[in-house]
């Protein structure tokens, strides 16, 4: 069997078109959605990602404001800037690109963003809302993974899902979203004794570790859906995920590529959260 590909680029394009129509409707009533993107320091990958976010916003007819700060900015200055953006009625979403320089506490920064503008879905209030099944912003990467499952008509209800990775921004929210969709969920991590024992039983595997070849063909149940969140570089500098793509595609039923899988969906779901934030603000008056 050769797995079918879940094309993140194509799905993201559909989502962007839908967001653009919603943004146009808001612009017609004078409420153009606005996203503030904060970049601290000169991490080359982060610079590329924030440029993409700005471009995505413009493509969808939304306003974006990119604020770049030197790596030496103090935490207090950064928090003050976020507080000002919280008060700005033309800004509906705020995100601070991660990672941050070591002297800045990322959780403190995230908690300073108003939950109403937390379009990354990283605020503890957003995490709590996800935990108890209340409305709130969902972190873009796992949200995008759920949309990918939906796009192939795959219902996680009653399925066994294994999430590899327990980060606050991917692994944990991914597990919560799958649980909410009535999957039976196992979270594996660096201290898991026999990873393959778990993944071989899984109908859905989400690999979110940040390490190449974490999932190989012998660890996958035939026909399983494999979602690769990883973003790594191989020895030749080529972008690759956490999954041994060539091996696993011979066994899985569906698989996401890297690049062109979860990455573009992460970007698309940021637009969805931003339009949602702007629509909620418009509804509040
Ligand atoms: N505040 C945030 N910081 C970070 C997040 C986040 O969601 N919010 N996630 C990552 C980086 N990230 C978005 O910020 C991100 C990374 C990569 C992609 C993407 O589209 N990747 C492409 C390949 C791009 C390339 O060639 O380098 C793909 O997979 O096809 C989207 C979003 C950490 N920080």
């Amino acid at each position: 069997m050769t797995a079918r590909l879940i094309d993140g680029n194509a799905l993201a394009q559909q989502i962007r078109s839908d967001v653009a129509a919603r943004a146009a409707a808001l612009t017609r009533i004078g409420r153009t959605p606005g996203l503030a993107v904060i970049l601290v320091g000169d991490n080359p990958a982060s610079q590329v990602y924030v440029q993409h976010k700005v471009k995505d916003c413009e493509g969808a007819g939304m306003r974006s404001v990119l604020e770049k700060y030197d790596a030496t900015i103090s935490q207090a200055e950064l928090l003050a800037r976020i507080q000002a953006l919280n008060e700005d009625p033309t800004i509906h979403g705020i995100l601070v690109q991660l990672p941050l320089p070591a002297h800045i506490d990322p959780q403190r920064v995230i908690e300073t963003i108003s939950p109403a503008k937390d379009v990354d879905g990283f605020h503890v209030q957003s995490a709590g809302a996800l935990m108890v099944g209340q409305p709130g912003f969902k972190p873009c990467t796992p949200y995008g993974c759920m949309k990918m499952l939906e796009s192939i008509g795959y219902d996680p209800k009653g399925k066994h899902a294994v999430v590899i990775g327990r980060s606050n921004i991917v692994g944990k929210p991914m597990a919560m979203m799958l649980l909410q969709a009535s999957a039976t969920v196992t979270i594996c991590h660096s201290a898991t004794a026999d990873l393959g024992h778990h993944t071989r039983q899984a109908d859905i595997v989400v690999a979110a570790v940040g390490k190449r070849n974490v999932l190989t063909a012998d660890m996958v149940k035939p026909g399983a859906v494999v979602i690769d969140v990883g973003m790594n570089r191989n020895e030749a500098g080529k972008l690759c995920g956490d999954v041994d793509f060539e091996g696993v595609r011979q066994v899985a039923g569906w698989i996401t590529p890297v690049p062109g899988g979860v990455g573009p969906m992460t970007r698309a779901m940021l637009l969805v959260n931003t339009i949602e934030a702007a629509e909620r603000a418009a509804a509040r008056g």
Side-chain angles (χ1 to χ4, degrees):
M1 173 191 269
T2 304
R4 282 185 279 180
L5 279 192
I6 310 179
D7 184 344
N9 280 323
L11 183 56
Q13 180 51 51
Q14 286 173 24
I15 290 169
R16 282 196 297 269
S17 303
D18 175 60
V19 169
R22 290 164 68 183
L26 284 176
T27 295
R28 280 196 291 277
I29 58 164
R31 307 293 289 260
T32 300
L35 174 70
V37 179
I38 298 180
L39 174 66
V40 182
D42 53 9
N43 179 311
S46 293
Q47 286 180 344
V48 172
Y49 299 146
V50 297
Q51 288 301 343
H52 283 155
K53 289 174 188 190
V54 167
K55 199 171 122 258
D56 289 346
C57 270
E58 284 160 9
M62 309 205 284
R63 198 170 75 88
S64 65
V65 178
L66 174 56
E67 299 196 359
K68 293 186 180 182
Y69 296 103
D70 197 87
T72 56
I73 188 173
S74 71
Q75 179 167 298
E77 283 174 284
L78 186 59
L79 299 189
R81 192 52 212 137
I82 292 169
Q83 267 144 6
L85 290 165
N86 283 341
E87 303 300 318
D88 183 339
T90 71
I91 293 296
H92 305 97
I94 303 169
L95 78 83
V96 178
Q97 188 63 30
L98 301 177
L100 285 166
H103 67 281
I104 299 177
D105 173 6
Q107 205 53 41
R108 184 75 204 285
V109 169
I110 289 164
E111 300 317 331
T112 304
I113 297 171
S114 161
K117 300 189 178 187
D118 173 37
V119 288
D120 254 336
F122 295 165
H123 194 284
V124 71
Q125 192 167 309
S126 306
L130 177 61
M131 172 79 99
V132 297
Q134 281 184 3
F137 294 112
K138 298 186 180 80
C140 301
T141 299
Y143 194 8
C145 295
M146 293 305 287
K147 287 283 168 199
M148 291 175 111
L149 288 175
E150 194 183 304
S151 76
I152 59 165
Y154 193 93
D155 184 358
K157 185 175 180 180
K159 304 292 187 195
H160 184 192
V162 169
V163 178
I164 316 173
R166 55 176 159 177
S167 71
N168 288 337
I169 67 175
V170 183
K172 286 181 200 164
M174 183 78 251
M176 288 312 305
M177 287 180 210
L178 287 162
L179 184 62
Q180 218 120 69
S182 296
T184 301
V185 184
T186 303
I187 305 177
C188 297
H189 45 78
S190 51
T192 297
D194 182 356
L195 181 61
H197 166 77
H198 298 282
T199 57
R200 272 189 288 275
Q201 299 173 46
D203 303 301
I204 306 164
V205 183
V206 181
V209 178
K211 199 169 141 204
R212 283 170 55 208
N213 298 329
V214 155
L215 192 76
T216 49
D218 58 306
M219 298 166 75
V220 175
K221 176 160 112 178
V225 182
V226 175
I227 300 182
D228 192 349
V229 176
M231 213 155 292
N232 312 296
R233 300 258 165 206
N234 68 13
E235 300 83 2
K238 189 171 164 274
L239 198 68
C240 57
D242 290 351
V243 173
D244 168 23
F245 182 81
E246 288 309 327
V248 170
R249 74 184 306 190
Q250 308 303 325
V251 182
W254 292 91
I255 191 165
T256 66
V258 179
V262 173
M265 287 301 293
T266 297
R267 285 165 55 187
M269 299 323 289
L270 174 66
L271 297 182
V272 171
N273 280 348
T274 305
I275 195 77
E276 189 73 42
E279 287 171 349
R280 286 183 204 171
R284 285 195 298 270

